[in-house]
Amino acid sequence: MTLARIKQGLRSTGFRLNLWHAFLFTVSSMVLFALVYALLGSALAQKDAETVARQRDEYAAIYREVGPRGLERWVRQQEAARRLHSFFVLVNRPDGRTALLLASKEWVEFDVVRLGPFILESHEGTLRIPEDDRRDLVFSPPAPLPDGNALVVGRKSDSRETLLEPVRKIFALALAPIVLLGFAVGWFLSWRAMRPVREVVATVTAIVEERRLNARVPTRETRDELNDLAILFNRMLDQNQRLIEAMNHSLDNVAHDLRTPLTRLRGVAELALREDADPETAREALAECVEESDQALAMLKALMDVAEAESGALKLDRKPVDLKAMLEELAEAYEFIGEEKGVTIERVFGETPCELSVDAVRMRQAFGNLLDNAVKYSAPDAPVRVQIEPGEECVTVSVSNAGDSICEEDRERIFERLYRGDKSRSQRGLGLGLSLVRAIVEAHRGTVEVGEAPEGGGAKFVVRLPKGGEDKNLKSQTPTPN
């Protein structure tokens, strides 16, 4: 492993997560030890306090029954019988003088006479005085006696520090394994947590460096946030792949469709440049050049309009428009175009005006393309039917003709840019009409689809436009890409 890879590993998110986990795990363990240590020390102190308090209550009861001399005899008897060790009994009068003082031999090194008043003045609760590193002196709180005196009981106890020293040693020995365990668990958890991220990186690397557009992030059934991210990332990759494939397909079609007019344009221009060409021939050639260049410009403009609409950047000049009046004007225009084939346009509009907030220019362009296709591919002497069906939430406009039906393969791809079915290749056109229709309709937050074929054959296109203009319930104006 090179130094660069080591530095990269130390800067990685997984390593930082590992450090944080080990740090938190170690700190938590130390806090837990400190809590246990404090509770254990408190429990030891409480045990000593309960012991001296219990002895004090016992001696107080004896004092009440037999007096100070009786208490002294009882203590001496217990000491002689070796049932009492390390005892300290102090009875003081209200004026501070000692009425009774009993202590075992273990207290001989202390000035017990001076110790008594100090104890009574120094505390109201249990008093603990360190004797040395291993022993403590523990005194009970003063207990009032019937004759006005006060009783204090003391004993020697093992030092809490001495009792807790093994606990500290155990923790000191366990600290290194705790840190190592924290690192091990942190590494495992960070490795598991960062695995989806590594898979995303591997997928992106395969796409960028190996040009594998079909690479996808593996998903699992965990249903957590990272799995949801992987699913959304794969959906984005699917969409990008479709867009790239559609773009490549569109570029191929553009190159193919532009080759013909540009070749003809060049041929006609060469014909006009011939030395023996007469002015009339040159004029006709120039007119044909203009026509071919218009054809190429129309294709490029249509492509730009479709791309603009599909990207959501198409600016719409929405105004209230009577849809019936618009379709009536278009029907009259295209009925004149269809006279040569004997095609008539049947209008089913109803009597009620149908007003929508739309961009009139764009909607004329969309419905004009649908009527143009319907007339172009209609059977001779057959009607084209245009119907408006107002609904509660949207207005449905259908355009149908009689003739050849759309095959299943074409139904799935008919709205793609520059796609032309086998039956339409004999007709003059760009293959952009229906893709432009869908882009404009979806920019108005509507839908367009191929409907059920009419009886006897033919094609039917159904457009649904929402009422109320910019519907607040629709969150996005960006149409669905091909």
Side-chain angles (χ1 to χ4, degrees):
M1 181 178 294
T2 63
L3 182 61
R5 290 183 63 87
I6 294 176
K7 291 182 177 179
Q8 182 180 2
L10 294 177
R11 292 195 300 265
S12 65
T13 303
F15 181 75
R16 290 197 297 269
L17 287 176
N18 191 0
L19 284 182
W20 274 108
H21 183 274
F23 173 75
L24 293 176
F25 185 78
T26 304
V27 170
S28 301
S29 300
M30 295 178 68
V31 170
L32 180 61
F33 167 76
L35 179 61
V36 172
Y37 187 86
L39 292 176
L40 185 58
S42 177
L44 293 174
Q46 182 67 23
K47 180 181 178 182
D48 289 337
E50 290 176 354
T51 301
V52 295
R54 186 168 57 250
Q55 289 180 346
R56 179 203 61 189
D57 295 340
E58 181 181 358
Y59 295 168
I62 296 173
Y63 186 94
R64 283 192 293 268
E65 292 181 4
V66 297
R69 299 306 172 191
L71 175 60
E72 182 179 1
R73 288 193 301 269
W74 186 86
V75 172
R76 296 302 182 188
Q77 291 173 1
Q78 296 295 317
E79 181 185 17
R82 297 184 178 181
R83 289 194 292 268
L84 194 61
H85 305 282
S86 182
F87 60 89
F88 177 89
V89 181
L90 173 66
V91 178
N92 259 28
R93 295 189 177 95
D95 58 5
R97 293 184 299 170
T98 301
L100 177 64
L101 177 58
L102 302 173
S104 63
K105 295 178 180 180
E106 297 178 359
W107 296 76
V108 69
E109 64 269 23
F110 295 97
D111 189 354
V112 292
V113 176
R114 296 181 59 186
L115 188 60
F118 169 76
I119 296 170
L120 291 171
E121 295 172 0
S122 300
H123 78 299
E124 295 180 355
T126 302
L127 177 63
R128 194 178 194 100
I129 302 174
E131 178 185 3
D132 51 31
D133 294 340
R134 305 186 62 84
R135 304 279 287 181
D136 290 341
L137 307 180
V138 183
F139 301 95
S140 69
L145 298 172
D147 55 5
N149 296 336
L151 171 65
V152 174
V153 174
R155 67 188 297 268
K156 289 189 176 185
S157 175
D158 292 332
S159 171
R160 283 184 298 175
E161 297 299 321
T162 302
L163 294 175
L164 294 175
E165 184 178 359
V167 179
R168 293 195 299 270
K169 290 182 178 180
I170 292 174
F171 178 76
L173 294 175
L175 183 60
I178 287 175
V179 174
L180 293 177
L181 180 63
F183 270 102
V185 175
W187 176 83
F188 177 74
L189 293 179
S190 62
W191 180 81
R192 287 289 302 272
M194 297 301 295
R195 182 167 60 180
V197 179
R198 292 195 302 273
E199 291 172 345
V200 171
V201 172
T203 302
V204 174
T205 302
I207 294 174
V208 173
E209 296 183 358
E210 302 175 16
R211 307 296 183 186
R212 291 196 291 116
L213 296 180
N214 60 343
R216 295 296 181 268
V217 181
T219 57
R220 299 171 181 80
E221 298 297 329
T222 56
R223 297 184 180 181
D224 56 9
E225 293 84 353
L226 291 175
N227 191 65
D228 293 341
L229 175 63
I231 294 174
L232 290 175
F233 191 76
N234 287 340
R235 288 174 58 185
M236 182 188 68
L237 293 178
D238 291 338
Q239 187 178 27
N240 289 344
Q241 184 177 5
R242 288 195 298 269
L243 288 174
I244 292 173
E245 291 175 351
M247 181 182 66
N248 292 334
H249 181 70
S250 298
L251 289 175
D252 292 342
N253 287 334
V254 168
H256 180 270
D257 288 352
L258 283 179
R259 186 182 295 113
T260 300
L262 291 178
T263 302
R264 293 180 59 187
L265 187 65
R266 180 181 178 82
V268 173
E270 289 177 349
L271 180 64
L273 290 174
R274 290 174 56 183
E275 294 181 357
D276 57 347
D278 59 273
E280 185 63 27
T281 302
R283 181 180 297 274
E284 291 179 359
L286 289 175
E288 192 169 349
C289 286
V290 171
E291 182 180 357
E292 294 296 338
S293 62
D294 287 343
Q295 180 78 1
L297 289 174
M299 175 185 292
L300 294 176
K301 184 179 183 301
L303 277 172
M304 293 177 64
D305 288 342
V306 173
E308 186 179 18
E310 289 182 348
S311 66
L314 183 65
K315 296 182 179 179
L316 300 178
D317 184 16
R318 289 179 178 269
K319 293 180 181 178
V321 175
D322 186 358
L323 202 59
K324 285 179 56 178
M326 177 191 295
L327 289 173
E328 181 66 34
E329 295 176 5
L330 291 171
E332 290 179 1
Y334 282 96
E335 196 170 39
F336 177 77
I337 295 174
E339 282 184 355
E340 185 176 346
K341 292 178 62 176
V343 175
T344 59
I345 296 181
E346 179 182 346
R347 306 161 178 84
V348 183
F349 293 165
E351 300 179 357
T352 305
C354 182
E355 189 175 90
L356 286 179
S357 178
V358 296
D359 187 320
V361 175
R362 294 294 185 179
M363 290 311 301
R364 282 194 179 94
Q365 190 177 9
F367 287 123
N369 277 326
L370 290 177
L371 284 170
D372 182 69
N373 282 344
V375 171
K376 185 186 298 183
Y377 299 109
S378 176
D381 301 322
V384 171
R385 181 184 177 91
V386 181
Q387 183 174 359
I388 301 176
E389 300 178 43
E392 295 182 0
E393 298 182 356
C394 66
V395 175
T396 303
V397 179
S398 60
V399 178
S400 57
N401 66 354
D404 295 331
S405 300
I406 301 175
C407 65
E408 191 65 30
E409 180 183 356
D410 289 344
R411 286 171 66 95
E412 296 178 357
R413 302 186 58 191
I414 200 168
F415 290 105
E416 295 180 8
R417 279 178 281 181
L418 299 172
Y419 178 78
R420 303 183 69 187
D422 294 336
K423 297 176 181 179
S424 64
R425 294 191 180 275
S426 60
Q427 300 285 344
R428 185 176 178 85
L430 304 176
L432 289 169
L434 290 178
S435 61
L436 184 60
V437 169
R438 185 172 75 168
I440 292 174
V441 171
E442 290 184 346
H444 285 80
R445 303 189 179 188
T447 60
V448 58
E449 59 185 9
V450 180
E452 295 183 4
E455 294 183 4
K460 180 179 181 180
F461 292 88
V462 180
V463 176
R464 294 182 178 85
L465 297 172
K467 289 185 175 180
E470 297 184 12
D471 192 352
K472 295 181 180 180
N473 294 327
L474 296 173
K475 298 182 179 179
S476 174
Q477 191 174 353
T478 303
T480 305
N482 288 338

